[in-house]
């Protein structure tokens, strides 16, 4: 339902310009890749990339515990973001975090929803990630 995309397609890529003063000799690069001492000018991978998706959920999704279920489910997956009812009868959510967990929420969890819900469509669109320390919460109706 929601195509999985590579992390590089959604996360910005930062490239360092080549300058002679910070160039790493080939021997140092070979030693670092072979498990030797690391060079401080070599970029280190710190954490997995973050993915964010905004979804609009259509169907019988208001008055059936959908927002509270979304908060509980997103928190259990370690996602950040928010969920709210919309005046047109849909529910909107911003899901941000580990790309695999976001994809699981969008493609496997939300289409089922809580027991009383009847989801007829999930419309995803890309979004800017939010800080993980913001957590996941309910917002007022928009």
């Amino acid at each position: 339902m929601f195509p999985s995309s590579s992390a590089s397609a959604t996360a910005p890529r930062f490239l360092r310009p080549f300058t002679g003063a910070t160039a790493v000799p080939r021997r140092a690069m070979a030693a670092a890749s072979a498990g030797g001492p690391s060079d401080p000018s070599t970029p280190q991978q710190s954490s997995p990339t973050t993915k964010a998706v905004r979804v609009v959920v259509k169907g019988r999704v208001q008055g059936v515990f959908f927002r509270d279920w979304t908060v509980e489910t997103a928190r259990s997956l370690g996602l950040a973001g928010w969920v709210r009812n919309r005046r047109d009868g849909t529910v909107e959510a911003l899901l941000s975090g580990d790309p695999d967990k976001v994809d699981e929420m969008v493609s496997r969890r939300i289409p089922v929803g809580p027991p009383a819900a009847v989801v007829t469509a999930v419309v995803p669109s890309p979004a800017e990630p939010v800080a993980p320390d913001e957590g996941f919460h309910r917002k007022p109706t928009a």
Side-chain angles (χ1 to χ4, degrees):
M1 178 183 284
F2 184 72
S4 176
S5 61
S6 68
S8 63
T10 59
R13 297 179 68 182
F14 299 101
L15 301 176
R16 293 188 325 167
F18 174 79
T19 58
T22 60
V24 179
R26 288 182 189 222
R27 278 187 229 139
M29 288 190 323
S33 66
S38 63
D39 180 19
S41 66
T42 304
Q44 301 290 323
Q45 286 189 349
S46 58
S47 63
T49 58
T50 300
K51 178 178 184 175
V53 176
R54 183 173 295 213
V55 294
V56 175
V57 187
K58 299 179 180 182
R60 190 176 76 199
V61 292
Q62 289 191 10
V64 293
F65 194 66
F66 202 94
R67 288 176 298 165
D68 290 336
W69 173 88
T70 302
V71 169
E72 289 176 11
T73 305
R75 286 179 180 169
S76 74
L77 292 172
L79 299 178
W82 49 263
V83 62
R84 67 180 170 197
N85 281 344
R86 295 186 356 163
R87 296 191 199 290
D88 64 0
T90 61
V91 169
E92 178 181 23
L94 174 68
L95 308 162
S96 179
D98 177 83
D100 292 334
K101 301 296 184 179
V102 171
D103 288 343
E104 178 181 343
M105 185 74 172
V106 173
S107 64
R108 293 183 50 215
R109 307 274 182 118
I110 287 179
V112 175
V118 178
V119 176
T120 59
V122 177
V123 182
S125 60
E128 288 296 315
V130 297
D133 60 347
E134 289 185 30
F136 200 92
H137 60 278
R138 285 175 56 164
K139 287 177 76 172
T141 299

